[in-house]
Amino acid sequence: MRYLMMQKAGGAEPDARLYADMAAFVEELTASGVLLATGGLDPAGFKMTSVGDEITVTDGPFTEAKEAIAGFALIEVRSREEAIELGRRFRTIVGDGESMIHQVYGP
Amino acid sequence: MTDLSATVGVVWKQESARIVAGLLRLVHDVGLAEELAQDAVVAALQQWPVTGIPDNPGAWLTTTAKRRAVDHIRRSRTRERLAPDLARAPEPTGDDVLRLMFTSCHPVLPTEARVALTLRVVAGLSPAEIARAFLVSEQVIGQRIAAAKRTLAEAGVAYQPSAQLSSVLEVVYLIFNEGYAATSGSDLIRADLCLEALRLGRMLAVLAPDQAEVHGLVALMEIQQSRSAARTGPAGEPIPLHEQNRGRWDQLLIRRGFAAMLRAREAGGPIGPYVLQAAIAVCHVAEDTDWVRISALYQTLERLLPTPVVRLNRAVAVAFAHGPQAGLDLLDELRADPQMADYHLLPGVRGDLLVRLGHPTQARHELQRAASLARNTAERDFLLRRAAALDVPEEPGRLLGPAVAEFLAPRSPATARAYGQTLHRIARLAGERTPLADLTPTRLTEIVALSWPDVSPRTWNRHVAAIRSFTAWSGDPSLAATLRPRPLPTADPGGPASGPGRGAAAMSDRPAAGGASGAPALRERVLWCLLRESAAKVGAVLALNVEDLDLDDRSARDKTIVWRSGTARLLPELIAGRTRGPLFLSERRPGPGRPPAAADLCPETGRRRLSYERAAYLCKRMTGHTLDRLRAV
């Protein structure tokens, strides 16, 4: 089953050690076939609202910096517990903060 | 907060391959390596509640398991000086995992064992999970894995990276297909097998990046998996590739498949079957399918893998590229292949091509035949619906299936059963709804040859008799004119096979048992003669071994059994050069289910000792007397 893990911004400033640890973690997940896609997000973004036929586009940012989603990873695992374990390992690498994890419905 | 034991289980699944692989380098025994790794899991369950889960649980398990291995080696060998080196043994590497995969896929193991062991030690699945995926009991899987470990240990192959990569690829693709062949619906568990195979393939691609075939296999699986949501309809019915809703294909997996294909091309080397199959899968992704290119790829694939299924797929591609008639011509060559006799896709494809050629009547017949051979209900219903959708009038005249039923109805139960075995099979292979008028002697002969390629003349004649009786009843005896009975072998087990035809090979290693007609076979004649002349007990005579006999002295077993001229004349012929083992042998070799004791098995022919029950039955049938009565006569 697939899970989308979204990381909120904030936490410690990244240093060289964090980059190395993250690279090793990503490499390990890729090698074991778990990581399908990953990416960072522009914290600002823009918003689209529809009312009737009218579409409004508003430029961001909208939330406090530490509430914004800063990055995502799409993983394919065998169970919810596996997703939790990988999330735990990710959090121990990046330090204090918050992740949102949603199961992706589908195949 | 999550359950700790669930976390440990998850860590095990994610890390077991690396841990077991690292231990294998130390202890050279897959079974022992896995046991030591499991010990580390037990230690984790005891310590983590106290110390908390370590930052890198996999590394913790690896270190703990390695310490156990070193302790084990210290205990089992007393060579202390080796221990310091072992303690410094490096962390498990990718090479170790690769070696573990080669070991679990080693050709000394039967295929089923390779699959089970790979899922156990490389994918970290429990026997219960493997059992559920393969729809067998957990006990069966446990035994299969234990036997595999034993075989590897005995063969001493655990630490040689000796197996071929092709064997590993085969196991991975087998796991994938096992999951893929099961259609959706209640089979969701089996769909997990596809993901497991994908995971193994992706892992392999990192471990052996310079092997084009590995990337080819990954590309093939990613692209096939990308269609999993689109390949069945709402009711579980299969949807042919070119009718699938492309919007439901998983673009992420398609892109990953393409990327793997590019890596295969970069790796270079000669093109193998997986790269070719992946190339075909890639062609199908394109908006306008290039059937000419696909049929060319299939032609190359057929040279590497001349299996009937590949030939069938090639025929489909050729039909799309060069017209239905060209495809039909290729299919007709396949009809004589015994492996295809029961395969529903052959008549299914024929039916499709016949529709396109404008022969709806024949097409409907083929589709109905395909439906009768289909293995799951969704496919059967789908084929029947397609057949019903063809707008043709119901065929006049008698149909094969109903005719067989009508023919069997008035017979006695025993006859109906005996004839039915033959006729139902023919009706199934030819199609229940074949009009009798459409059945030709050539097609009938072809079906009979496909159904019973290697039977003894006696069995062959039984089938022929049933068919002749049916064709005579149906009013067209000329249908079976080309089916001739085969001569029975003479009652001479030592002599050369005398019957012509394809049954001869099967017959020559089977002594004639003496049927209800004709004289009793040599074995029975010797047994009865010996019983009469020696007056010994039946059990004692049946227990005789060839090495017990003193032919010159006409006696056996320290003179407890003595015979006269009648037996002496026949005995050498029965022994026929054998030097040991039971004197009286049964007609057949024992099946795998009930292996006889070593003393009851002839080391030269592999047959078992004639049982008292069988001997008594033969005697009763032939003479009407019991064996004991024979002894007294």
Side-chain angles (χ1 to χ4, degrees), chain A residues 1-2 28 30-37 74 76-79 81-82 84-86 88-89 92 107, chain B residues 2 6-7 10-11 13-15 53-54 56-57 123 125 195-196 199 202-203 206 228 250 252-253 256:
Chain A
M1 47 190 91
R2 285 182 188 172
E28 187 188 324
T30 310
S32 57
V34 170
L35 188 65
L36 295 182
L74 184 63
E76 190 156 58
V77 290
R78 288 171 277 211
S79 63
E81 285 73 24
E82 280 197 45
I84 294 173
E85 169 58 20
L86 293 178
R88 198 190 60 77
R89 287 194 57 197
T92 54
Chain B
T2 55
T7 307
V10 159
V11 172
K13 267 192 190 161
Q14 289 171 342
E15 305 283 343
I53 301 173
N56 190 340
L125 298 191
L195 295 180
E196 218 51 71
R199 182 190 290 262
R202 290 168 186 166
M203 195 153 103
V206 175
S228 63
D250 186 330
L252 178 66
L253 291 186
R256 291 179 64 98

Side-chain angles (χ1 to χ4, degrees), chain B residues 345-368:
Chain B
L345 284 184
L346 179 56
V349 170
R350 271 182 67 88
D352 277 342
L353 297 184
L354 287 166
V355 172
R356 287 170 53 194
L357 279 171
H359 302 303
T361 313
Q362 279 171 278
R364 185 172 68 177
H365 164 217
E366 284 294 79
L367 289 172
Q368 282 166 339

Side-chain angles (χ1 to χ4, degrees), chain A residues 11-28:
Chain A
E13 274 299 302
D15 57 9
R17 164 108 196 278
L18 178 65
Y19 275 116
D21 286 353
M22 271 311 292
F25 188 52
V26 165
E27 198 178 315
E28 187 188 324

Side-chain angles (χ1 to χ4, degrees), chain B residues 448-522:
Chain B
V448 174
L450 278 177
S451 301
W452 301 289
D454 295 308
V455 293
S456 70
R458 194 175 304 281
T459 313
W460 171 266
N461 292 348
R462 212 181 63 228
H463 292 309
V464 170
I467 296 166
R468 289 186 153 189
S469 165
F470 172 69
T471 51
W473 168 87
S474 76
D476 186 7
S478 67
L479 260 183
T482 51
L483 290 173
R484 298 199 174 283
R486 291 175 183 163
L488 290 175
T490 51
D492 176 9
S498 53
R502 299 174 69 177
M507 178 206 74
S508 62
D509 61 20
R510 184 177 295 183
S517 59
L522 174 69

